[in-house]
Amino acid sequence: DSGVTQTPKHLITATGQRVTLRCSPRSGDLSVYWYQQSLDQGLQFLIQYYNGEERAKGNILERFSAQQFPDLHSELNLSSLELGDSALYFCASSVDNSGRPSSYNEQFFGPGTRLTVL
Amino acid sequence: LAKTTQPISMDSYEGQEVNITCSHNNIATNDYITWYQQFPSQGPRFIIQGYKTKVTNEVASLFIPADRKSSTLSLPRVSLSDTAVYYCLVGDPSGGYNKLIFGAGTRLAVHP
């Protein structure tokens, strides 16, 4: 158990709909990362937040957005869903080391949310 | 745009040493190289990290040459439980200080 929790575990919805995925980081971790992993694909970095502020953006679609709240939990919002958005969405957290790049931070991953768009 | 390249798959037998290499030609001077392990339906798990030369921990070694354009994860004496997908992770200098790139992953199968 990494200490990172994600809800829900599974989500089935229809094209055109909007969903929200939730992540609670490990206690004390200030950074949250979101990743997308399509079937048999690698991990695509979406976005990172640090203490409520956006720190880095990856290949995140405009239909997707995220935020980190004052209690440090994070939500990933996916809208106008398409079939191709079906994937595993992982959240990770880390203790952010000031002055070092994100590649330095050991990330702890949650169990993921499996999204199926029908 | 930074890119990482790893072999798609590898096969080994129990007790052998396995070396998986990741190419990251465009790594930034201040970037670290990290390797993660992922089992089916689980989130990735940190294995080892380095900046240059050689790093060793209780489960693996990481070799990074002087030019840092590649790195090699070495798993000594693998067992069946090491069957997993292994990813290298670096930063993408074209995306600013903190954009991250995972390699496509190497699927390691360990046979009895």
Side-chain angles (χ1 to χ4, degrees):
Chain A
D1 184 358
S2 67
V4 178
T5 60
Q6 290 187 247
T7 56
K9 290 189 95 164
H10 302 275
L11 197 49
I12 301 174
T13 188
T15 55
Q17 295 298 304
R18 173 191 167 95
V19 297
T20 297
L21 313 184
R22 182 187 168 106
C23 169
S24 292
R26 291 189 322 156
S27 176
D29 285 357
L30 297 179
S31 271
V32 169
Y33 311 74
W34 286 98
Y35 294 89
Q36 179 192 57
Q37 186 172 43
S38 302
L39 189 64
D40 291 332
Q41 297 291 310
L43 291 142
Q44 298 295 318
F45 169 70
L46 296 178
I47 199 164
Q48 179 197 359
Y49 277 83
Y50 171 73
N51 204 20
E53 305 262 337
E54 181 185 304
R55 170 159 282 192
K57 218 171 204 180
N59 302 323
I60 187 167
L61 299 172
E62 285 192 16
R63 300 184 285 109
F64 296 0
S65 65
Q67 55 184 325
Q68 186 179 27
F69 295 86
D71 67 352
L72 300 177
H73 91 271
S74 178
E75 292 181 356
L76 179 67
N77 300 297
L78 315 176
S79 61
S80 303
L81 285 168
E82 302 174 359
L83 296 177
D85 297 327
S86 295
L88 257 175
Y89 290 85
F90 286 106
C91 164
S93 73
S94 72
V95 172
D96 210 296
N97 293 278
S98 175
R100 303 239 194 200
S102 288
S103 60
Y104 176 79
N105 301 321
E106 177 180 347
Q107 296 179 50
F108 294 84
F109 283 77
T113 292
R114 183 173 295 281
L115 173 66
T116 302
V117 182
L118 301 175
Chain B
L1 182 67
K3 183 182 174 183
T4 60
T5 305
Q6 304 177 231
I8 294 174
S9 64
M10 296 181 73
D11 287 275
S12 184
Y13 292 91
E14 284 189 290
Q16 289 191 332
E17 178 184 75
V18 171
N19 295 308
I20 306 173
T21 297
C22 176
S23 297
H24 28 77
N25 292 330
N26 200 22
I27 189 170
T29 52
N30 61 346
D31 243 343
Y32 288 76
I33 301 152
T34 311
W35 284 79
Y36 286 83
Q37 175 192 55
Q38 186 180 28
F39 297 110
S41 300
Q42 293 186 24
R45 186 176 67 175
F46 173 91
I47 302 174
I48 196 166
Q49 180 188 78
Y51 182 78
K52 60 181 179 180
T53 64
K54 178 184 174 182
V55 179
T56 298
N57 62 20
E58 62 276 7
V59 298
S61 294
L62 181 60
F63 300 91
I64 304 170
D67 66 3
R68 301 193 344 112
K69 292 187 176 182
S70 67
S71 59
T72 298
L73 173 71
S74 181
L75 304 172
R77 298 178 300 281
V78 294
S79 64
L80 297 177
S81 62
D82 293 317
T83 294
V85 181
Y86 293 83
Y87 296 94
C88 61
L89 170 68
V90 296
D92 180 356
S94 70
Y97 195 54
N98 295 303
K99 184 178 175 184
L100 298 169
I101 290 188
F102 269 94
T106 299
R107 191 174 297 273
L108 173 65
V110 180
H111 305 282

